[in-house]
Amino acid sequence: MKRVLGFAPVLLIATGTGFAQTDDVIFNATVSDSCTVVADTNGTLGLNGTGTVLASTESGGSAGQATVTATNTTFNVTIDNITAFTTGPADADTNTNFATTYNASGATTASGVAGATPTNLGSGITTLAVNASATKTSGIFSAGSYSLTATVRCAP
């Protein structure tokens, strides 16, 4: 006679205890001190009624716009002094004084600030409305196309 040995199947059931493992994935970052300036919109110069002032605040003129983003409060914003037109007729710069002003809104608020005057920036996004003007001390502006550049600067 032959004997048959039977094996009973053994069923192992995983209960989750002791079998699951977890670990954390950590993300790190370092934000450096920075200040960026982005010129969003160019301005337009309008001519006054006597032909002696070209300015963004005159009829037909409009302010330019720039966005300044600062990661902390150690930065100041200014606008470089303008000394000449970028383009214009031959006598464009003769007897001409230039000026800029700005208004700030957002992380920083200011109104009617002379361009070269530093304004301490708040941490975050500040929108600047930039105005520029050219004024003849004698004579009038000749017919032609005029352009000037106002450089917005952010520095500690």
Side-chain angles (χ1 to χ4, degrees):
M1 234 179 153
K2 284 184 165 181
R3 285 180 124 191
V4 177
L5 295 175
F7 292 94
V10 177
L11 181 60
L12 297 175
I13 300 174
T15 61
T17 308
F19 288 98
Q21 286 190 342
T22 64
D23 204 352
D24 297 327
V25 176
I26 299 171
F27 295 84
N28 294 308
T30 301
V31 176
S32 300
D33 290 344
S34 67
C35 189
T36 59
V37 178
V38 175
D40 300 314
T41 307
N42 292 326
T44 304
L45 298 173
L47 182 64
N48 73 347
T50 60
T52 58
V53 177
L54 280 170
S56 56
T57 55
E58 291 294 333
S59 178
S62 63
Q65 182 175 308
T67 301
V68 182
T69 305
T71 60
N72 66 43
T73 58
T74 63
F75 295 98
N76 293 304
V77 66
T78 58
I79 300 173
D80 292 354
N81 289 324
I82 298 171
T83 58
F85 282 101
T86 310
T87 60
D91 65 345
D93 300 327
T94 304
N95 302 318
T96 304
N97 292 330
F98 299 91
T100 57
T101 61
Y102 61 90
N103 300 322
S105 61
T108 307
T109 57
S111 182
V113 180
T117 302
T119 297
N120 183 248
L121 290 167
S123 181
I125 298 171
T126 298
T127 300
L128 294 182
V130 178
N131 285 294
S133 66
T135 304
K136 285 289 189 184
T137 57
S138 66
I140 64 171
F141 285 102
S142 299
S145 295
Y146 291 80
S147 167
L148 58 80
T149 301
T151 300
V152 178
R153 188 172 306 281
C154 183

